[in-house]
Amino acid sequence: MKIQTLRPEDALTSLQSGPDGLTATEAARRLEAFQANSILHMRTVPWWRRLAAGLTHFLAIVLWLAALLAFIAEWSDPGKGMATLGVAILCVILVNALFSYWQEYRAERSILALEGLMPDSVRVMREARLRKLNRSLLVPGDVLLLSAGDNVPADCRILEAFDVRINAATLTGESYPVARDAQPTDAPDLLHCRNILLAGTVLVSGEARALVYATGMRTEFGRIAQLVQTGGDIESPLQRQINRLSRLIALLAMLLGGVFFVLGQWIGLGFWNSLLFGIGIIVANVPEGLLPTVTLSLAMGAQRMAARQALIRNLPSVETLGSATVICTDKTGTLTLNRMQARVVVWAGRETALDSAPVILPQALRAVASLCQTLQLGEVDGRQALVGDPLEEALLRMAQHSGGAVDFPLVDELPFSAERRMLSTLHRSTGGLVLYSKGALEALLPIASRFLQEDGEQPLDEHEQEHWREAEHRLADRGLRVLAFAYRAVEEGYKREDLEQDLVLIGLVGLEDPPRPEVPAAVRRCQQAGIRVLMVTGDHPRTAEAVAREIGLATGRPTVITGTTLASLSHSQLSLALEARELIFARVNPEQKLQIVKELQAKGETVAVTGDGVNDAPALRQGDIGIAMGLSGSDAAREAADMVLLDDNFASIVAAVEEGRAVFQNIRRFMSYILTSNIPEVVPYLAFVLFRIPLPLTVVQILAVDLGTDMLPALGLGAERPDREVMQRPPPSRNDRLLDRRLLARAYLFLGPMEAAAALAAFFFVLRNGGWQYGETLAPDEPLYQVATTACLAAIVVMQMMNVFLCRSERGRPFGFGSPNPLIWAGLVCEVALILFIVYAPLGNWLFGTAPLPVSAWLFMIPFVLAMALLEGIRKARATLDR
């Protein structure tokens, strides 16, 4: 038998308890059997294993290999600085492993935040005595005493209640105070049972004696925590891309290295020389700067997002948000201001707008607005004021500004419930008892017999009822939330069950929660950017649809799916329903919100989810990016989310999407730049093996490019700001790759060969001027050979200095000059300083096996730089015309 269906005394019996509570012995026995009343942590991976995972994922293995090869090179050819470079690579691995470990630690904190919402101590009846115990000691069968302001520490069945109202927003998403009493009910949903108090909710008013029937992870609260814990770690699109990219790079590098080792053996170079050349090829193809550049790009994007009121808690989410194809957003406070305002009153057959001009409303209407409410005395900005539901605050303001509020003593109350859809309060006025009621018109019409006109009360026949419905429809069509007001005189000695009958309708009030001014433009930007916005709210469907129309989410007849309808849909039916052009979800519960997100992801969408309550935590974690509200959100929501909106504003999400999209492009810019230099690093080894010439570039010089001269300009590319067109293009799909054929063709078949030609030309230019003849061998320590390899290295660096501008755009601007990027210029300055150190400083010559270059060698490189810029400009112009 479900506990909500039992009478209070039967509920006590079912748990073998009584009005005086449990004995100390029985409570101790049950505590051992049911365990502590707390949110238990699931078994987690030991810290050392999580740290080890950060050191052994695929990209880390590639970097380990690069470091190992550097140490091997140092061992086989000491004194070239390879050990120092190997240590630098190990530092990169360690920093990234620590960063990954911190991200996993953050996930555990979401459970701690859930526990933080629970009260520390409660008042409990034990052995007929009232005691104050820590909430963790509660067991099923305990009898609690709760009063206004108390957090509910466990799932309870109410035994006695006086004027009890709770705020269940953390579980249901509804901020309207909900009445509770001790009467049995057949309602199957515990979230809405009138005699149930669930853990995590708060008593807004009244006092209650309640029986604990579920504790810890067996509560509804614990079930949500279980969903958060078992939701699994969702790999971001960027993480998937990096993992795929690292596998490709590792395969290519090792394949080429193996091929060159075999070629070296085949042509008789000997084992160590062949191994050295194989190492050189592998090192040339490993982009050692990938992780720091990706991290910087994400960090810079996160900083810019923070300046636009979006705080990133999980760096990969910066790029994930830019890839979002669907945003599932709440309504209240995110799309709207969460400030209800009364706009229109319909009474005595006419419609009156409530604008800046003062309007005097009839006393009966003002009495309902003033008295039929559940506002509580609280503190606002350091002063005492009535606070509570924004709708009731708006009605009270309306009464105050339209003739003055009415104040009669409260005698009785029939609280609001979802079934009745109305609230009634009984007051003692100067003329006797009067019942004031407000609620949905369809709830009041069947129990009303008259309506109020200026000349008195008139019969409410079917014809007049139709007039009232038409008036309601007119207001609803304008996006207003409509409430009906009614009253009736009550005789002394009344029966509560007979109060709500024979009512007199007074009028209708149309209220709105104004959309944020920025939201309609933000919605349009989403639509232009190919991002679909779905409203997923716990509010009433009509309210949700009205707001959707006002902000541009709905232009025709949107499909509105309620939680009840959603529960009846099969997997395939929901999948098809999600294809509707305009779609709104209303009255959804936490599991249904999670279900929507999972189904969207199954359809290949990258989903961003907003939320503010404990109930939103599972969906926030499941989404590709969870977005919590910073002003109104709960701690649990913020801890489960990847991003926190500091201003709770939907427009800030769109601004953050723009920054996130820039990150995807920036990583592509970096990849174009860094992969281009692979070709001039590999081609010299090909030429050495195939044409039996002196090796134009040494392994240590390759690393000087990869970890030295290229690094800072590449980091500058990773910090580019969004371009003007970024929100006019569709989001990258899950099938879009950071490293695609177009990027590879540009780097390996176009820009790279030009750099390789310049590097080899500079190498042979120096050799020819030094009198070298083809077939002549040169020792590594010969001055001519050192100057020639230095020219090859310098040519690569100079070409890369132009390439950093070419890589700022894939098409459009011919030479990539656009908005200023100080980091690129700073990187170029450092690059110049570093190459001059390598070429002209004695220490640089010793570390990298180089020698000073004559001016003629530098001048020889200039035509190659200009030709590269010209050819790339022509290519971009043609690509722009072909779009």
Side-chain angles (χ1 to χ4, degrees):
M1 185 70 70
K2 295 182 178 180
I3 198 165
Q4 68 266 32
T5 65
L6 302 177
R7 295 180 303 167
E9 54 271 24
D10 295 332
L12 283 166
T13 301
S14 70
L15 287 171
Q16 300 178 28
S17 183
D20 296 333
L22 302 172
T23 65
T25 303
E26 178 62 15
R29 187 191 69 79
R30 294 191 185 191
L31 183 62
E32 184 177 353
F34 292 98
Q35 299 182 336
N37 178 40
S38 61
I39 304 301
L40 301 177
H41 295 279
M42 297 178 67
R43 182 176 298 176
T44 57
V45 179
W47 68 269
W48 58 269
R49 287 185 59 184
R50 285 185 292 170
L51 183 59
L55 294 169
T56 55
H57 63 79
F58 209 88
L59 186 56
I61 291 174
V62 175
L63 293 178
W64 277 112
L65 179 61
L68 175 63
L69 295 177
F71 289 125
I72 291 175
E74 174 69 19
W75 175 66
S76 63
D77 191 9
K80 298 297 178 65
M82 298 295 289
T84 302
L85 294 173
V87 170
I89 296 173
L90 293 180
C91 290
V92 171
I93 298 171
L94 180 60
V95 168
N96 282 277
L98 292 173
F99 179 69
S100 299
Y101 174 79
W102 174 253
Q103 289 177 336
E104 292 191 23
Y105 172 73
R106 175 202 61 83
E108 292 185 353
R109 294 176 61 202
S110 64
I111 306 304
L112 297 177
L114 285 172
E115 285 192 311
L117 290 178
M118 306 284 277
D120 290 328
S121 61
V122 290
R123 292 177 295 161
V124 186
M125 293 296 297
R126 290 274 177 91
E127 298 178 327
R129 294 177 57 189
L130 184 62
R131 300 181 179 182
K132 198 169 186 179
L133 300 178
N134 188 283
R135 65 168 175 88
S136 63
L137 300 178
L138 290 181
V139 295
D142 269 329
V143 177
L144 308 182
L145 270 67
L146 301 168
S147 58
D150 286 347
N151 292 294
V152 180
D155 287 356
C156 305
R157 164 66 161 90
I158 296 177
L159 302 175
E160 297 176 3
F162 177 76
D163 190 27
V164 171
R165 293 180 178 279
I166 65 167
N167 184 339
T170 53
L171 292 174
T172 66
E174 299 175 2
S175 60
Y176 197 98
V178 182
R180 290 290 185 260
D181 57 41
Q183 298 303 313
T185 177
D186 292 328
D189 185 3
L190 291 174
L191 291 173
H192 297 97
C193 283
R194 60 189 300 168
N195 57 17
I196 296 296
L197 298 177
L198 296 177
T201 59
V202 181
L203 258 71
V204 175
S205 66
E207 295 182 351
R209 182 183 291 259
L211 172 68
V212 175
Y213 69 85
T215 58
M217 297 299 288
R218 295 179 178 86
T219 64
E220 290 295 303
F221 196 93
R223 188 171 57 84
I224 291 177
Q226 180 83 5
L227 288 173
V228 174
Q229 294 184 75
T230 58
D233 292 325
I234 307 301
E235 191 178 50
S236 75
L238 178 62
Q239 290 168 327
R240 289 192 292 269
Q241 294 271 10
I242 293 298
N243 288 338
R244 176 180 179 272
L245 183 60
S246 62
R247 291 186 181 95
L248 288 175
I249 289 172
L251 179 63
L252 177 64
M254 290 186 289
L255 179 62
L256 288 177
V259 168
F260 271 79
F261 174 79
V262 172
L263 282 176
Q265 291 285 87
W266 180 57
I267 63 176
L269 290 179
F271 178 82
W272 288 111
N273 280 336
S274 300
L275 178 61
L276 182 63
F277 298 136
I279 290 172
I281 292 297
I282 293 175
V283 170
N285 281 278
V286 173
E288 292 85 355
L290 176 61
L291 283 179
T293 301
V294 169
T295 301
L296 176 72
S297 182
L298 295 173
M300 293 293 291
Q303 290 178 13
R304 292 196 295 267
M305 287 180 178
R308 302 175 80 168
Q309 303 300 310
L311 179 63
I312 291 294
R313 303 183 66 253
N314 182 10
L315 275 187
S317 301
V318 174
E319 187 276 333
T320 304
L321 185 59
S323 302
T325 58
V326 176
I327 299 176
C328 294
T329 177
D330 282 339
K331 178 188 71 66
T332 304
T334 306
L335 300 175
T336 68
L337 293 169
N338 198 21
R339 289 203 301 265
M340 298 296 293
Q341 298 179 5
R343 291 297 189 187
V344 179
V345 173
V346 177
W347 68 285
R350 62 178 181 271
E351 184 178 304
T352 303
L354 301 176
D355 50 25
S356 57
V359 175
I360 304 300
L361 298 176
Q363 179 177 328
L365 195 147
R366 287 185 285 115
V368 176
S370 306
L371 302 173
C372 191
Q373 43 90 355
T374 59
L375 299 174
Q376 299 293 316
L377 189 64
E379 188 171 300
V380 179
D381 297 329
R383 60 183 179 83
Q384 292 293 311
L386 289 173
V387 295
D389 182 59
L391 181 146
E392 293 186 337
E393 292 180 35
L395 293 177
L396 182 57
R397 287 195 304 270
M398 178 192 73
Q400 292 168 341
H401 297 156
S402 57
V406 179
D407 187 13
F408 295 143
L410 177 66
V411 176
D412 204 346
E413 177 181 346
L414 296 176
F416 175 87
S417 70
E419 295 82 8
R420 292 168 50 250
R421 300 182 62 192
M422 60 181 295
L423 167 68
S424 298
T425 56
L426 184 65
H427 297 264
R428 188 172 298 279
S429 70
T430 55
L433 296 177
V434 181
L435 183 78
Y436 297 106
S437 302
K438 73 177 181 193
L441 179 63
E442 57 265 36
L444 268 64
L445 270 180
I447 56 177
S449 60
R450 290 157 293 161
F451 69 99
L452 187 64
Q453 288 281 52
E454 287 184 304
D455 56 354
E457 299 175 3
Q458 302 294 328
L460 184 66
D461 55 25
E462 291 186 5
H463 179 71
E464 290 296 338
Q465 287 185 10
E466 188 59 32
H467 282 310
W468 282 83
R469 293 190 185 97
E470 290 174 358
E472 180 195 35
H473 293 158
R474 287 197 305 271
L475 298 184
D477 290 342
R478 288 153 58 180
L480 300 176
R481 179 174 179 178
V482 185
L483 285 180
F485 285 10
Y487 78 102
R488 64 162 290 202
V490 177
E491 299 291 336
E492 297 288 350
Y494 65 89
K495 293 183 180 180
R496 293 185 84 244
E497 59 270 21
D498 297 332
L499 283 175
E500 291 179 333
Q501 63 181 10
D502 196 28
L503 298 182
V504 179
L505 285 177
I506 305 169
L508 303 176
V509 179
L511 303 100
E512 71 170 352
D513 181 5
R516 292 180 178 271
E518 313 89 347
V519 167
V523 169
R524 286 196 298 272
R525 291 193 72 196
C526 284
Q527 293 167 343
Q528 293 170 355
I531 302 171
R532 192 175 177 209
V533 180
L534 300 182
M535 185 188 296
V536 183
T537 178
D539 278 345
H540 190 278
R542 175 167 287 179
T543 305
E545 182 177 347
V547 172
R549 291 185 184 282
E550 193 162 355
I551 64 175
L553 273 183
T555 55
R557 290 292 300 173
T559 300
V560 181
I561 299 178
T562 64
T564 303
T565 303
L566 181 60
S568 65
L569 296 180
S570 67
H571 173 78
S572 57
Q573 287 173 325
L574 177 57
S575 180
L576 292 172
L578 286 170
E579 297 175 2
R581 189 175 67 88
E582 295 179 347
L583 181 60
I584 297 169
F585 289 96
R587 294 293 194 215
V588 295
N589 62 37
E591 291 183 355
Q592 289 173 331
K593 191 170 187 177
L594 182 63
Q595 178 187 359
I596 293 167
V597 173
K598 286 183 176 180
E599 189 60 42
L600 286 167
Q601 290 173 324
K603 293 173 70 67
E605 305 285 1
T606 301
V607 185
V609 189
T610 72
D612 56 9
V614 176
N615 59 312
D616 294 316
L620 289 173
R621 182 142 187 222
Q622 175 65 36
D624 294 287
I625 176 167
I627 305 171
M629 302 298 108
L631 295 178
S632 61
S634 67
D635 288 343
R638 287 192 289 268
E639 291 295 334
D642 304 294
M643 186 176 91
V644 177
L645 288 185
L646 300 179
D647 58 358
D648 291 11
N649 193 339
F650 179 81
S652 297
I653 300 177
V654 182
V657 169
E658 182 179 17
E659 296 291 351
R661 287 194 174 186
V663 169
F664 185 86
Q665 294 301 321
N666 288 348
I667 296 175
R668 283 182 59 87
R669 291 181 178 110
F670 159 78
M671 293 305 302
S672 296
Y673 176 76
I674 210 72
L675 292 179
T676 295
S677 65
N678 284 358
I679 298 301
E681 291 172 353
V682 170
V683 167
Y685 284 83
L686 281 171
F688 168 77
V689 171
L690 296 177
F691 303 112
R692 307 302 296 270
I693 62 173
L695 181 63
L697 200 66
T698 66
V699 175
V700 70
Q701 289 168 351
I702 290 174
L703 286 172
V705 174
D706 290 349
L707 290 176
T709 59
D710 269 6
M711 184 65 69
L712 290 178
L715 292 177
L717 284 174
E720 285 277 272
R721 292 184 175 274
D723 60 54
R724 296 177 181 177
E725 298 180 354
V726 72
M727 291 298 284
Q728 298 176 8
R729 297 190 291 264
S733 71
R734 290 180 181 266
N735 296 323
D736 287 345
R737 306 295 185 189
L738 282 170
L739 188 63
D740 57 17
R741 294 179 181 177
R742 186 177 61 190
L743 188 151
L744 284 173
R746 184 187 181 203
Y748 283 169
L749 302 180
F750 190 70
L751 297 175
M754 285 189 281
E755 289 193 5
L760 288 179
F763 177 75
F764 287 117
F765 172 78
V766 171
L767 288 181
R768 187 190 63 182
N769 287 348
W772 175 82
Q773 299 294 322
Y774 180 76
E776 183 181 346
T777 59
L778 293 173
D781 57 351
E782 287 190 37
L784 178 61
Y785 176 73
Q786 290 182 338
V787 173
T789 57
T790 302
C792 181
L793 169 64
I796 294 174
V797 172
V798 170
M799 296 292 280
Q800 282 288 84
M801 290 176 68
M802 172 55 71
N803 190 35
V804 73
F805 294 105
L806 302 181
C807 288
R808 290 188 71 186
S809 64
E810 295 185 43
R811 56 172 67 91
R813 296 170 295 180
F815 305 111
F817 295 101
S819 58
N821 187 336
L823 281 178
I824 286 182
W825 289 104
L828 289 175
V829 170
C830 292
E831 188 171 21
V832 170
L834 184 56
I835 191 61
L836 291 178
F837 167 77
I838 292 172
V839 173
Y840 294 108
L843 179 60
N845 296 159
W846 177 75
L847 287 174
F848 297 98
T850 56
L853 283 179
V855 175
S856 59
W858 295 105
L859 295 176
F860 179 80
M861 303 171 193
I862 294 177
F864 291 94
V865 174
L866 297 177
M868 183 182 186
L870 178 62
L871 291 173
E872 173 65 359
I874 294 172
R875 186 202 66 80
K876 286 183 179 178
R878 292 187 59 183
T880 302
L881 291 175
D882 292 341
R883 291 178 63 183

